Amino acid sequence: MRYDSITDAIGDTPLVRIDPAVHGLRHIDLYAKLEMLNPFGSVKDRAAWHMARPGLPDAVERGATVIELSSGNTAKALAVIAGMHGLPFKSVTNRMRVPEIKELLLLLGAEIEELPGQTECLDPTDTEDPLTLFHQELSRPGSPSLHTDQYFNVLNTEAHATGTGPEIVADLGGRAPDWFFACVGTAGSSTGVARVLRAHDPAVRVVGLVGQKSDFIPGIRNVDEVHEVGLFDPATYDTIEAVGADEAIDGMLTLIRRCGLLSGPTGGAAYHGAVRHLRPLDAELDGVSGADLDGVPDGETGRRRTAVFIICDRVESYLSYVRERRPELLGRPPAKNSVATLTDAEVRAATAVDTADAQKWIAAEHPLVVDLRGPFAYAALHIDGSVNIVDELFDELLRGGLPFSKGQPVLLACPVGEKSARYAALLTRMGHPDVRSLAGGIIAWRDAGAPLVRD
Ligand SMILES: Cc1ncc(COP(=O)(O)O)c(C=O)c1O
């Protein structure tokens, strides 16, 4: 293989069958589309190149900055593409949560601008999410930058409708698979591939996979967030199913250790979601001859069914993510005091107080008020007298044991009361006798008209 440019090596990724001894499905061949073998490391290489390419000649002439709202793989690919064309690249994002990716972006020459999300930033003069405002600014005609706009740009979807989808059909001998599984980030890959597969066979079942509520799987949305994505159309999917972060890590381990596929967490989530979805359907196929089966798209006698899932990127960038959630996998002692180990019952049992009760409690007993939001949001508005310990730091702090004396009551506050409830449950488990979570978070506090101050 000989290329004039590394961008010519984007696409044409292998489709690899997973050994049936690993997944245990008897009637279904499960294939992984290895998008992590794209040259810059992920499925987003296709979208980044497809979106940036048309604007590059003009951008080079003007010396424009390439800009994208991304904290991950799209930014990575765009940073490389911009650099190859002598252009600066700027990544605008909410808090970057995976340190290796942030460092890699800096190494690639990216400038990173971190903005708080809507739930974090409470300046009442801001009527909109700072990221949304930024997006509007960039999308105005005459904007001096080359904004690739992955959440709204149809070229994102088209990259997969012209590349990934047709490649899958060609590698399956001109047929669409019976099932297609994909994790949903911008929805570009799932939408583009689904369109092509359905054009070949309208009976194909498309399963979109997202993270569980308030769970974090880097690169994709969780159930609550997915509807906010510009390219997301519920009609693309026959069903949307949620995968937990631990399940994603388990799936990733199976792919790495049993299949030789060095997948990242979303590939693991896709594998886990696929096998979980297919197992009962595979059982229904036991002993079937001829009859159409519920949920099985083709009644041909004896035909083996096929399913495809996408492995979006590689594992190496997620070691700190694994270290945080499953330290024992990296030869460290299991995380003792970690929110990842809480049960739902523990979180439900944590004490929560609404704004009115919290105000009375603060006045009467002066609990230490800990605001777990990012420093930007805290500086914009916070409860008077509160201290700011951003959740990642708080997490670290708790690993060393209780950071407060047991005689010191503590009120925890976060944007909407979800994180604070988890940390309240953890502190309770660690033996703190009086820790409470602010129900509904700083948003509820503000909505109740309770006072907030700014730095
Ligand atoms: C690691 C990872 N997995 C999956 C996806 C989902 O891809 P899409 O944006 O096409 O929905 C992304 C998107 O950024 C990603 O970074």
Side-chain angles (χ1 to χ4, degrees), residues 320-338 340-341 396 399-400:
S320 61
Y321 178 74
V322 174
R323 190 180 307 124
E324 192 188 320
R325 280 158 195 270
R326 301 277 284 278
E328 67 281 8
L329 291 173
L330 304 182
R332 288 162 193 250
K336 254 192 337 209
N337 307 321
S338 156
T341 61
E396 284 289 322
R399 272 170 217 205

Short mmCIF file of all heavy atoms in Angstrom, two decimals, residues 320-338 340-341 396 399-400:
data_model
loop_
_atom_site.label_atom_id
_atom_site.label_comp_id
_atom_site.label_asym_id
_atom_site.label_seq_id
_atom_site.Cartn_x
_atom_site.Cartn_y
_atom_site.Cartn_z
N SER A 320 -6.09 6.26 32.72
CA SER A 320 -6.49 6.93 33.97
C SER A 320 -7.98 6.68 34.25
O SER A 320 -8.40 6.58 35.40
CB SER A 320 -6.20 8.42 33.94
OG SER A 320 -6.91 9.03 32.91
N TYR A 321 -8.78 6.54 33.20
CA TYR A 321 -10.21 6.20 33.36
C TYR A 321 -10.34 4.82 34.02
O TYR A 321 -11.11 4.64 34.96
CB TYR A 321 -10.86 6.22 31.97
CG TYR A 321 -12.32 5.84 31.93
CD1 TYR A 321 -13.29 6.71 32.38
CD2 TYR A 321 -12.71 4.60 31.43
CE1 TYR A 321 -14.63 6.36 32.33
CE2 TYR A 321 -14.04 4.25 31.37
CZ TYR A 321 -15.00 5.12 31.82
OH TYR A 321 -16.32 4.78 31.77
N VAL A 322 -9.52 3.87 33.55
CA VAL A 322 -9.54 2.52 34.13
C VAL A 322 -9.00 2.57 35.56
O VAL A 322 -9.55 1.95 36.47
CB VAL A 322 -8.71 1.54 33.26
CG1 VAL A 322 -8.60 0.18 33.94
CG2 VAL A 322 -9.32 1.40 31.87
N ARG A 323 -7.94 3.34 35.77
CA ARG A 323 -7.32 3.43 37.10
C ARG A 323 -8.33 3.94 38.12
O ARG A 323 -8.39 3.47 39.25
CB ARG A 323 -6.10 4.35 37.05
CG ARG A 323 -5.26 4.33 38.30
CD ARG A 323 -4.07 5.26 38.22
NE ARG A 323 -3.27 5.04 37.03
CZ ARG A 323 -2.98 5.98 36.13
NH1 ARG A 323 -3.41 7.22 36.29
NH2 ARG A 323 -2.26 5.70 35.06
N GLU A 324 -9.14 4.90 37.68
CA GLU A 324 -10.11 5.49 38.60
C GLU A 324 -11.21 4.48 38.95
O GLU A 324 -11.65 4.39 40.08
CB GLU A 324 -10.71 6.71 37.92
CG GLU A 324 -11.50 7.58 38.83
CD GLU A 324 -12.22 8.67 38.04
OE1 GLU A 324 -11.63 9.22 37.09
OE2 GLU A 324 -13.39 8.94 38.37
N ARG A 325 -11.67 3.74 37.93
CA ARG A 325 -12.82 2.87 38.17
C ARG A 325 -12.46 1.45 38.57
O ARG A 325 -13.18 0.81 39.32
CB ARG A 325 -13.68 2.81 36.90
CG ARG A 325 -14.54 4.01 36.81
CD ARG A 325 -15.01 4.32 35.43
NE ARG A 325 -15.51 5.66 35.43
CZ ARG A 325 -16.76 5.98 35.69
NH1 ARG A 325 -17.65 5.04 35.95
NH2 ARG A 325 -17.14 7.23 35.71
N ARG A 326 -11.36 0.95 38.04
CA ARG A 326 -11.00 -0.45 38.32
C ARG A 326 -9.50 -0.54 38.59
O ARG A 326 -8.76 -1.16 37.83
CB ARG A 326 -11.37 -1.32 37.12
CG ARG A 326 -12.86 -1.28 36.76
CD ARG A 326 -13.68 -2.23 37.61
NE ARG A 326 -13.50 -3.56 37.15
CZ ARG A 326 -14.16 -4.08 36.10
NH1 ARG A 326 -15.07 -3.37 35.47
NH2 ARG A 326 -13.94 -5.30 35.72
N PRO A 327 -9.00 0.09 39.69
CA PRO A 327 -7.55 0.14 39.92
C PRO A 327 -6.92 -1.23 40.00
O PRO A 327 -5.74 -1.39 39.67
CB PRO A 327 -7.43 0.90 41.25
CG PRO A 327 -8.80 0.91 41.85
CD PRO A 327 -9.78 0.73 40.75
N GLU A 328 -7.69 -2.23 40.42
CA GLU A 328 -7.12 -3.58 40.56
C GLU A 328 -6.63 -4.12 39.21
O GLU A 328 -5.73 -4.95 39.15
CB GLU A 328 -8.13 -4.53 41.22
CG GLU A 328 -9.38 -4.87 40.44
CD GLU A 328 -10.47 -3.79 40.47
OE1 GLU A 328 -10.21 -2.67 40.97
OE2 GLU A 328 -11.57 -4.07 39.97
N LEU A 329 -7.22 -3.60 38.10
CA LEU A 329 -6.77 -4.05 36.77
C LEU A 329 -5.36 -3.56 36.47
O LEU A 329 -4.69 -4.09 35.60
CB LEU A 329 -7.72 -3.53 35.68
CG LEU A 329 -9.12 -4.14 35.66
CD1 LEU A 329 -10.00 -3.43 34.66
CD2 LEU A 329 -9.01 -5.63 35.32
N LEU A 330 -4.93 -2.52 37.19
CA LEU A 330 -3.60 -1.95 36.95
C LEU A 330 -2.68 -2.26 38.14
O LEU A 330 -1.74 -1.52 38.43
CB LEU A 330 -3.69 -0.44 36.71
CG LEU A 330 -4.62 -0.03 35.56
CD1 LEU A 330 -4.62 1.48 35.38
CD2 LEU A 330 -4.20 -0.68 34.26
N GLY A 331 -2.99 -3.35 38.83
CA GLY A 331 -2.11 -3.80 39.90
C GLY A 331 -2.15 -2.94 41.14
O GLY A 331 -1.22 -2.94 41.93
N ARG A 332 -3.22 -2.16 41.31
CA ARG A 332 -3.35 -1.32 42.50
C ARG A 332 -4.41 -1.89 43.43
O ARG A 332 -5.27 -2.65 42.97
CB ARG A 332 -3.77 0.09 42.09
CG ARG A 332 -2.66 0.81 41.42
CD ARG A 332 -3.17 1.99 40.64
NE ARG A 332 -2.08 2.45 39.79
CZ ARG A 332 -1.42 3.57 39.96
NH1 ARG A 332 -1.75 4.40 40.91
NH2 ARG A 332 -0.44 3.90 39.16
N PRO A 333 -4.40 -1.47 44.68
CA PRO A 333 -5.45 -1.98 45.57
C PRO A 333 -6.82 -1.49 45.10
O PRO A 333 -6.91 -0.39 44.53
CB PRO A 333 -5.11 -1.37 46.94
CG PRO A 333 -4.04 -0.37 46.70
CD PRO A 333 -3.46 -0.59 45.35
N PRO A 334 -7.87 -2.30 45.28
CA PRO A 334 -9.19 -1.86 44.85
C PRO A 334 -9.56 -0.54 45.51
O PRO A 334 -9.16 -0.28 46.65
CB PRO A 334 -10.12 -2.97 45.35
CG PRO A 334 -9.25 -4.10 45.73
CD PRO A 334 -7.87 -3.59 45.95
N ALA A 335 -10.29 0.30 44.78
CA ALA A 335 -10.67 1.61 45.31
C ALA A 335 -11.62 1.40 46.49
O ALA A 335 -12.68 0.84 46.33
CB ALA A 335 -11.35 2.41 44.22
N LYS A 336 -11.18 1.85 47.66
CA LYS A 336 -12.00 1.65 48.86
C LYS A 336 -13.12 2.67 48.89
O LYS A 336 -14.29 2.35 48.95
CB LYS A 336 -11.12 1.84 50.10
CG LYS A 336 -10.79 0.54 50.79
CD LYS A 336 -10.17 0.75 52.18
CE LYS A 336 -9.53 2.08 52.33
NZ LYS A 336 -8.51 2.45 53.08
N ASN A 337 -12.70 3.90 48.82
CA ASN A 337 -13.68 4.97 48.99
C ASN A 337 -13.98 5.60 47.64
O ASN A 337 -13.56 6.70 47.36
CB ASN A 337 -13.12 6.03 49.94
CG ASN A 337 -12.65 5.41 51.24
OD1 ASN A 337 -13.31 4.50 51.75
ND2 ASN A 337 -11.53 5.87 51.76
N SER A 338 -14.72 4.86 46.83
CA SER A 338 -14.98 5.37 45.49
C SER A 338 -16.48 5.38 45.22
O SER A 338 -17.19 4.41 45.54
CB SER A 338 -14.26 4.49 44.47
OG SER A 338 -14.88 4.59 43.23
N ALA A 340 -17.78 4.94 42.54
CA ALA A 340 -18.08 3.89 41.56
C ALA A 340 -18.57 2.61 42.24
O ALA A 340 -19.20 1.77 41.60
CB ALA A 340 -16.85 3.61 40.71
N THR A 341 -18.26 2.46 43.54
CA THR A 341 -18.63 1.21 44.21
C THR A 341 -19.95 1.32 44.97
O THR A 341 -20.37 0.38 45.63
CB THR A 341 -17.53 0.79 45.21
OG1 THR A 341 -17.42 1.84 46.20
CG2 THR A 341 -16.19 0.59 44.55
N GLU A 396 -10.34 12.36 44.79
CA GLU A 396 -8.97 12.04 45.22
C GLU A 396 -8.85 12.14 46.73
O GLU A 396 -8.26 11.29 47.39
CB GLU A 396 -7.97 13.04 44.61
CG GLU A 396 -7.67 12.83 43.16
CD GLU A 396 -6.83 11.57 42.94
OE1 GLU A 396 -5.93 11.27 43.76
OE2 GLU A 396 -7.14 10.89 41.95
N ARG A 399 -10.20 9.33 48.78
CA ARG A 399 -9.42 8.08 48.75
C ARG A 399 -8.50 7.96 49.95
O ARG A 399 -8.20 6.87 50.42
CB ARG A 399 -8.59 8.01 47.48
CG ARG A 399 -9.45 7.37 46.43
CD ARG A 399 -8.85 7.46 45.11
NE ARG A 399 -9.97 7.68 44.21
CZ ARG A 399 -9.99 7.39 42.96
NH1 ARG A 399 -8.93 6.90 42.41
NH2 ARG A 399 -11.05 7.61 42.24
N GLY A 400 -8.05 9.10 50.45
CA GLY A 400 -7.16 9.09 51.61
C GLY A 400 -7.92 8.96 52.93
O GLY A 400 -7.32 8.95 53.99
#
